[in-house]
Amino acid sequence: MIEWFFQTLRTYPEIAIFLSLAIGYYVGAFTFKGLGLGAVTATLLAAILIGQIGITVSPTVKSVFFLMFLFAIGYSVGPQFVRGIAHDGLPQAMFAVVICILCLGVAYIAARFVGYDLGSAAGLYAGATTISASMGLATDAINRLGLPADQTKQLLDAIPVAYAVTYIFGTIGSAVILALIGPALLGVDLAAECKRYEAEHGGKRELGGAASAWHRFELRAFRVRENGVVVGKSVHEVESLIPDERIFIERIRRDGKIQDATENMILQAGDTVAVAGRRDVLVDLVSPPPTGAPGGIVAADNGMLKLPSGVEVARADEVDDPELLAVPAGGVDVYVTNREADGMTLHELSQWPTARGVFLRKITRGATATEIPILGDTKIYRGDILTIVGRTQDTDAAAKAIGYADRPTDIADVAFIGAAITIGALVGALVFKISGVPITLSTSGGALISGLFFGWLRSIHPTFGRIPSSTVWFMNSVGLNVFIAVVGISSGPSFVAGIQQLGLSLFLWGIVVTTIPLLIGIYVGKYLFRFDPAILFGCIAGARTTTAALGMITERAKSQIPGLGYTVTYAVSNTLLTIWGMVIVLLLA
């Protein structure tokens, strides 16, 4: 039975690939305190184990999936990459370049000092810096050296060996250094720094959501009293009574008729108004706590309510008016494309006329869908996704003003994907000779550059080239892991011998290559670039493209603030560190 199973895998290698994926994704999902092997390393180990029986897989398979993966990476980070190079993300982009050069330099020096061959050096670099994609470009570079076939295979088989040995500390060590050791070295209390940052920048923690019975933003009905303070005031004046909170009068029932409110309408006694705002603020209009409400509303000694503006008003009379409150409402993701909105703060955007009646629930940025804290001076950039809520007519107007409503869909523009990868691969296939030395991006590098360009282009023209996030995830994750599975299966027979020969040495040098750039980066970021301690370690995690470290950092910080430093550095480093896989081979060759 076992022999039949082995023979079947040899005859149908596609089964071996899917088996590697099944084991890899299953085992890779297990974590301990947020740390684990991950799907890539688990798939590689599973494929190496399966490959021990001697399975031959066409190299074309890994090439196809690797091109798909690289395009997806470029497409995802394109907007942030371009912004980091050309906009006010430049300090973070430059910092990412410094970290990338450190990673390449330390790996090169270590490989040269120890005398590792090209394959082991490329694997050492890929594993210690946890940049799996670099193995593909290193493979292309070795294949182009014109070495004898047996020597080329020996070098290629050494890559996954070194990667597997060094990746474990590359992942776990990076997280520990950035989340625990780094703050201790600088004497920084991450949680306290993030609280300070939130307080200084007007941040509030976000709860609730579509799947929650509690919602932060609500629409409630109140009756205007006779001789009330608000009688005779315009809608705009009434909304301004609580200056630090955004509340809006959306509709008014007057003499039995319902009409949409405008800022110039004058409130009259007996009106029933539909008011939208944060739930806690609306509740406190009826009954504030003795110590004062979050919106600054306090109970006066005379039984009145004292607003932050200093005006005293009677406690509001809330009423149940289903017809008044029955308005189409909901949330929508908006893809920011407006050039005027690019680089503006949330406070500045809130002053736009189309922002009236609209509330922001979430900001998502970058290839890793990093959630950006909602602060008054948080800047919005093209390519960001804003989740806004409010009346449908208000959210539609806001979406039109700042970008493009990103309605959920399962359909990807496959024609665009195929054409873009083809264009990139054709450009990458071109070979130029400089002083007799052939220079080329390779089809892999071309696909990556194509993804960067078209990802950026879609961020400013989102009417074409849509790839749903689930499809991007598939191209990214499965594309890479199929490539890894083929590499592992093909190198399986030589893996054990490689471990026996270089295992301990590779592991120790992997610690060196992982640790030195991070420690230097901590001090460079703090004293040369002068990053705020609240975002410093997020910047370094992004520059090393280690999502596991970011997760541990935010957990220790008890805040998402470190994510503000992650996206630009991740976009730049994910590109450069991948290309370095080819560069380190060329340098050592």
Side-chain angles (χ1 to χ4, degrees):
M1 182 67 178
I2 294 179
E3 183 56 38
W4 170 85
F5 178 68
F6 287 171
Q7 186 57 45
T8 300
L9 294 183
R10 296 187 190 100
T11 306
Y12 302 100
E14 60 270 26
I15 299 177
I17 294 175
F18 282 108
L19 179 59
S20 300
L21 292 177
I23 297 173
Y25 276 93
Y26 178 76
V27 174
F30 290 99
T31 61
F32 178 72
K33 294 187 176 180
L35 299 175
L37 286 177
V40 175
T41 304
T43 297
L44 175 62
L45 295 177
I48 288 172
L49 181 62
I50 294 170
Q52 298 301 315
I53 64 176
I55 300 173
T56 302
V57 183
S58 170
T60 303
V61 175
K62 68 178 182 180
S63 298
V64 170
F65 280 89
F66 192 62
L67 289 184
M68 183 174 72
F69 158 72
L70 286 175
F71 176 78
I73 283 291
Y75 180 89
S76 300
V77 304
Q80 289 74 41
F81 182 85
V82 173
R83 176 171 67 82
I85 297 299
H87 214 289
D88 60 357
L90 188 58
Q92 292 185 13
M94 292 175 61
F95 177 72
V97 173
V98 171
I99 296 298
C100 289
I101 292 174
L102 285 172
C103 290
L104 175 64
V106 174
Y108 170 80
I109 292 172
R112 179 69 75 184
F113 178 78
V114 182
Y116 288 142
D117 60 42
L118 297 180
S120 297
L124 167 67
Y125 164 77
T129 57
T130 63
I131 188 74
S132 313
S134 68
M135 290 192 290
L137 292 182
T139 298
D140 283 349
I142 291 174
N143 282 328
R144 292 176 180 274
L145 294 177
L147 301 174
D150 58 340
Q151 185 178 354
T152 297
K153 186 179 187 309
Q154 182 180 0
L155 293 176
L156 294 180
D157 288 347
I159 295 178
V161 175
Y163 172 84
V165 171
T166 56
Y167 179 86
I168 304 300
F169 185 85
T171 299
I172 299 175
S174 298
V176 171
I177 290 170
L178 294 181
L180 302 177
I181 298 176
L185 290 174
L186 297 182
V188 168
D189 183 335
L190 267 182
E193 291 293 341
C194 289
K195 284 183 179 179
R196 172 194 56 79
Y197 193 97
E198 288 180 355
E200 290 178 356
H201 297 77
K204 298 181 179 68
R205 295 186 180 274
E206 186 59 59
L207 300 172
S212 173
W214 179 89
H215 298 284
R216 178 173 292 280
F217 305 107
E218 291 188 348
L219 185 67
R220 304 177 76 146
F222 301 93
R223 180 174 291 114
V224 178
R225 292 182 175 185
E226 295 281 349
N227 301 319
V229 174
V230 300
V231 174
K233 294 185 182 293
S234 69
V235 167
H236 175 72
E237 289 174 325
V238 174
E239 292 172 349
S240 301
L241 290 175
I242 309 179
D244 294 330
E245 294 293 339
R246 301 181 73 238
I247 64 168
F248 303 101
I249 297 175
E250 303 279 19
R251 307 178 87 195
I252 299 175
R253 180 190 288 278
R254 178 174 295 166
D255 299 327
K257 296 181 180 179
I258 296 176
Q259 52 189 313
D260 287 336
T262 64
E263 290 188 325
N264 296 323
M265 289 183 67
I266 304 299
L267 295 187
Q268 300 177 7
D271 286 347
T272 302
V273 295
V275 183
R278 275 182 34 215
R279 183 179 187 277
D280 53 351
V281 175
L282 299 182
V283 167
D284 291 327
L285 287 174
V286 179
S287 180
T291 55
I297 304 171
V298 296
D301 294 337
N302 57 5
M304 303 282 279
L305 302 181
K306 188 173 183 179
L307 303 182
S309 56
V311 176
E312 289 190 357
V313 300
R315 297 174 187 267
D317 291 332
E318 185 171 13
V319 297
D320 182 24
D321 193 334
E323 185 181 8
L324 181 67
L325 300 177
V327 296
V332 64
D333 289 339
V334 180
Y335 202 91
V336 179
T337 62
N338 189 333
R339 190 182 297 273
E340 293 182 14
D342 188 44
M344 294 187 71
T345 65
L346 291 179
H347 176 73
E348 291 169 337
L349 284 175
S350 71
Q351 306 306 309
W352 285 22
T354 50
R356 188 176 188 279
V358 175
F359 302 94
L360 180 62
R361 284 214 75 254
K362 186 170 68 171
I363 307 170
T364 306
R365 180 176 297 163
T368 54
T370 303
E371 187 172 336
I372 303 301
I374 299 175
L375 310 173
D377 59 357
T378 294
K379 291 187 177 182
I380 299 301
Y381 300 100
R382 286 195 291 181
D384 286 352
I385 297 176
L386 309 185
T387 302
I388 59 176
V389 295
R391 291 190 304 171
T392 302
Q393 66 193 69
D394 294 331
T395 56
D396 286 348
K400 186 176 181 180
I402 62 177
Y404 183 81
D406 200 28
R407 308 287 182 186
T409 178
D410 297 328
I411 301 175
D413 190 346
V414 180
F416 162 79
I417 296 173
I421 293 177
T422 299
I423 293 171
L426 287 174
V427 171
L430 297 175
V431 179
F432 301 94
K433 288 192 175 182
I434 301 178
S435 300
V437 179
I439 303 296
T440 178
L441 283 174
S442 80
T443 55
S444 302
L448 177 62
I449 300 301
S450 174
L452 289 170
F453 173 75
F454 284 107
W456 165 79
L457 190 62
R458 173 170 162 74
S459 73
I460 57 176
H461 298 291
T463 55
F464 77 99
R466 175 176 175 79
I467 309 178
S469 57
S470 57
T471 305
V472 174
W473 177 88
F474 180 87
M475 295 172 66
N476 190 331
S477 181
V478 178
L480 175 60
N481 279 295
V482 168
F483 167 81
I484 290 296
V486 176
V487 169
I489 290 170
S490 301
S491 63
S494 61
F495 183 83
V496 175
I499 287 289
Q500 292 174 340
Q501 182 180 357
L502 298 173
L504 180 59
S505 168
L506 274 170
F507 181 77
L508 295 176
W509 280 105
I511 293 176
V512 172
V513 175
T514 295
T515 304
I516 291 179
L518 293 176
L519 293 179
I520 296 176
I522 289 171
Y523 290 101
V524 169
K526 171 66 175 177
Y527 296 107
L528 182 60
F529 286 87
R530 300 186 180 279
F531 292 136
D532 191 293
I535 67 170
L536 168 63
F537 297 98
C539 287
I540 304 172
R544 260 290 317 281
T545 66
T546 170
T547 307
L550 178 65
M552 192 168 179
I553 292 167
T554 55
E555 181 180 348
R556 293 282 299 179
K558 300 177 182 177
S559 170
Q560 293 298 319
I561 292 295
L564 288 170
Y566 186 80
T567 54
V568 169
T569 54
Y570 176 91
V572 174
S573 291
N574 202 40
T575 303
L576 292 182
L577 290 177
T578 298
I579 294 174
W580 281 181
M582 172 179 63
V583 173
I584 194 169
V585 171
L586 297 178
L587 289 175
L588 291 170

